């Protein structure tokens, strides 16, 4: 197991689940009970709540978005998902300059064998560009997206030996003052981002033209909980 990854997995997967609050028993009829959701639908609802929370905060901060970088929005997203649907996607926060990832989400049911490496970018509401989509890492001159994909490929090779996988994504935190439909969190596979960056495409409009560009709720299908 990769030296830096093993401690993250051990810490994340041994976290004790939060105890559920005791509920007062009450009589219910069949008509009172909500329809049963699949795990994927439950996660999609949690991801929708997280996207809404980020959109509201970005709108509140629209005149001073520089006061909060991607890390703050990532923390809000992760916290909201954990609150809505705990112990499904377990978060770990790797060394970004070393891995290219802001966040690793681990499918707890897989025992750490299914991992989602995520790099986050924030939309500039004035230019509607992702200013750092073509970011290079330190003095290496290596594109961040290349580093993320290389890291993921190394982990994926190990994970596949145990029946799992590792995949890389970009999450986009949006506030568009011209269109509320763009607000919230959207995502793309990292290899699609690599192609766009190689073509010099870093705008919201360019990313939206990709058929892979989707709202955060659709990420539940990528996790594949059933």
């Amino acid at each position: 197991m990769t030296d830096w990854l093993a401690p993250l997995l051990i810490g994340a997967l041994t976290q004790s689940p939060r105890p559920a609050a005791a509920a007062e028993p009450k009589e219910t009829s069949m008509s009172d009970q909500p329809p049963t959701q699949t795990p994927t639908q439950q996660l999609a609802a949690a991801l929708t709540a997280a996207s809404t929370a980020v959109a509201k905060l970005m709108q509140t901060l629209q005149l001073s978005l520089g006061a909060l970088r991607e890390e703050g929005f990532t923390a809000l997203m992760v916290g909201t998902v954990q609150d809505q649907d705990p112990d499904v996607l377990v978060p770990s926060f790797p060394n970004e300059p070393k891995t290219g990832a802001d966040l690793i989400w681990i499918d707890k049911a897989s025992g750490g064998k299914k991992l989602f490496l995520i790099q986050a970018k924030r939309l500039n509401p004035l230019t509607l560009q992702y200013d750092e989509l073509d970011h290079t890492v330190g003095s290496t001159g290596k594109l961040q997206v290349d580093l993320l994909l290389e890291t993921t490929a190394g982990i994926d090779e190990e994970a596949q030996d145990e029946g799992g996988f590792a995949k890389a994504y970009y999450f986009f935190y949006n506030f568009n003052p011209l269109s509320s439909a763009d607000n919230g969190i959207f995502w793309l596979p990292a290899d699609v981002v690599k192609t766009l960056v190689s073509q010099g495409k870093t705008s919201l409009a360019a990313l939206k033209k990709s058929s892979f560009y989707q709202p955060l709720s659709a990420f539940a299908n990528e996790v594949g909980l059933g």
Side-chain angles (χ1 to χ4, degrees):
M1 178 64 69
T2 307
D3 290 343
W4 61 265
L5 181 61
L8 291 181
L9 291 178
I10 293 171
L13 296 176
T14 56
Q15 292 175 355
S16 299
R18 290 176 293 176
E24 291 293 331
K26 61 179 181 179
E27 294 183 2
T28 59
S29 67
M30 292 298 293
S31 60
D32 293 330
Q33 297 179 2
T36 301
Q37 288 186 314
T38 67
T40 295
Q41 290 170 331
Q42 291 174 353
L43 179 58
L47 294 171
T48 298
S51 181
T52 300
V54 167
K56 288 182 177 179
L57 181 58
M58 293 189 79
Q59 184 172 15
T60 300
L61 297 176
Q62 60 183 292
L63 299 180
S64 57
L65 274 177
L68 193 61
R69 293 185 55 79
E70 286 88 350
E71 293 84 356
F73 297 117
T74 297
L76 175 58
M77 175 188 71
V78 168
T80 303
V81 172
Q82 289 291 95
D83 183 62
Q84 297 284 324
D85 198 9
D87 300 316
V88 176
L89 290 176
V90 181
S92 286
F93 300 92
N95 184 324
E96 183 188 12
K98 185 175 180 179
T99 66
D102 290 301
L103 167 69
I104 299 177
W105 254 337
I106 306 160
D107 175 10
K108 190 169 184 178
S110 73
K113 298 174 186 176
K114 295 182 180 180
L115 305 100
F116 307 90
L117 283 75
I118 297 160
Q119 169 59 227
K121 295 300 177 189
R122 182 187 61 188
L123 183 68
N124 185 326
L126 300 178
T127 64
L128 300 184
Q129 297 275 338
Y130 298 100
D131 296 334
E132 297 185 357
L133 194 59
D134 56 357
H135 176 66
T136 56
V137 181
S139 60
T140 66
K142 180 179 292 187
L143 284 169
Q144 188 177 55
V145 64
D146 288 334
L147 177 60
L148 176 64
L149 287 167
E150 289 173 10
T151 301
T152 305
I155 298 173
D156 185 54
E157 185 175 353
E158 298 180 32
Q160 285 195 31
D161 290 340
E162 299 184 15
F165 60 74
K167 297 181 180 181
Y169 301 88
Y170 271 65
F171 280 13
F172 301 99
Y173 303 147
N174 293 356
F175 172 70
N176 180 357
L178 303 178
S179 173
S180 61
D182 292 327
N183 295 348
I185 306 175
F186 295 78
W187 61 275
L188 278 171
D191 56 350
V192 176
V193 173
K194 177 179 172 66
T195 298
L196 291 170
V197 168
S198 71
Q199 297 170 347
K201 297 178 179 178
T202 61
S203 70
L204 172 62
L207 269 61
K208 287 174 62 178
K209 289 180 181 178
S210 170
S211 60
F212 295 96
Y213 184 82
Q214 298 184 65
L216 185 62
S217 59
F219 194 73
N221 294 320
E222 290 289 294
V223 178
L225 298 174

